[in-house]
Amino acid sequence: MTSNPYCLPPKLEADLSLLLGYWDGLKRGDAEMPFADDVDPTALPNPDGMILIEVSETPMRFRVAMAGAEIRKICGDVLAGAFLDEIAGRYPLDYLHSQSSATVEGRTPTYYRHRPDSGRDDGPYARLMMPTWGDGRINMLLGAFTRS
């Protein structure tokens, strides 16, 4: 069995821990993940650092449905409706396409910790991505990043 390359650490940053608690609280009964239509962006613990990503199946692609104010401030208007494969490699979206794929494939929350390269001045951050269910499949990812 292969381990998930984006496994959750033993301890999450406070903002991300709150979001994981929110996601867990949305689950219905014994469901392994919440339904996408239960996610309320206005109820998120850190809406400025959140991102909602729509998942299309064939071919699998990821499109930014909504990004919080802090992410939009960093990335500008390039995010609105963009596909991740069109904007890859931009701070704070490093490895986001790969992490999104791992989240769908593993059907579980994933975590990424960015430590800047010596030549970049973008600062460290952490990101959490969580799957949600709709239309008989994982159709949206709820995510957030926090500077740390």
Side-chain angles (χ1 to χ4, degrees), residues 2 7 15 17 19 25 39 46-47 49-51 58 67 80 83-84 86-87 114-115 124-125 134 139 144 146 148:
T2 305
C7 288
D15 286 350
S17 183
L19 185 64
V39 174
N46 177 17
M50 74 86 181
I51 190 165
T58 309
F83 287 95
L84 294 185
E86 298 171 341
I87 56 173
H114 175 77
R115 291 171 179 81
Y125 69 90
N139 70 347
T146 186
S148 53

Side-chain angles (χ1 to χ4, degrees), residues 36-137:
D37 58 1
D38 288 338
V39 174
D40 178 4
T42 63
L44 296 174
N46 177 17
D48 290 340
M50 74 86 181
I51 190 165
L52 291 175
I53 298 175
E54 295 173 352
V55 180
S56 61
E57 252 183 332
T58 309
M60 184 175 291
R61 285 191 87 190
F62 304 99
R63 188 180 76 79
V64 177
M66 183 183 299
E70 189 172 357
I71 296 174
R72 288 193 320 271
K73 181 180 172 187
I74 295 168
C75 296
D77 293 332
V78 70
L79 292 180
F83 287 95
L84 294 185
D85 56 356
E86 298 171 341
I87 56 173
R90 298 177 57 123
Y91 174 85
L93 309 176
D94 306 89
Y95 301 102
L96 182 56
H97 188 277
S98 172
Q99 183 183 7
S100 296
S101 293
T103 305
V104 171
E105 185 176 341
R107 304 172 63 87
T108 189
T110 59
Y111 176 86
Y112 172 73
R113 174 99 175 118
H114 175 77
R115 291 171 179 81
D117 297 331
S118 59
R120 291 172 60 180
D121 185 25
D122 49 20
Y125 69 90
R127 183 177 57 230
L128 179 68
M129 298 297 295
M130 295 153 290
T132 64
W133 192 259
D135 302 323
R137 62 184 180 82

Side-chain angles (χ1 to χ4, degrees), residues 4-39:
N4 187 330
Y6 295 100
C7 288
L8 297 182
K11 182 174 175 161
L12 287 172
E13 292 79 358
D15 286 350
L16 300 183
S17 183
L18 287 173
L19 185 64
L20 184 60
Y22 170 81
W23 179 84
D24 273 330
L26 293 178
K27 292 178 187 177
R28 299 179 191 177
D30 292 334
E32 62 181 317
M33 68 188 74
F35 287 90
D37 58 1
D38 288 338
V39 174

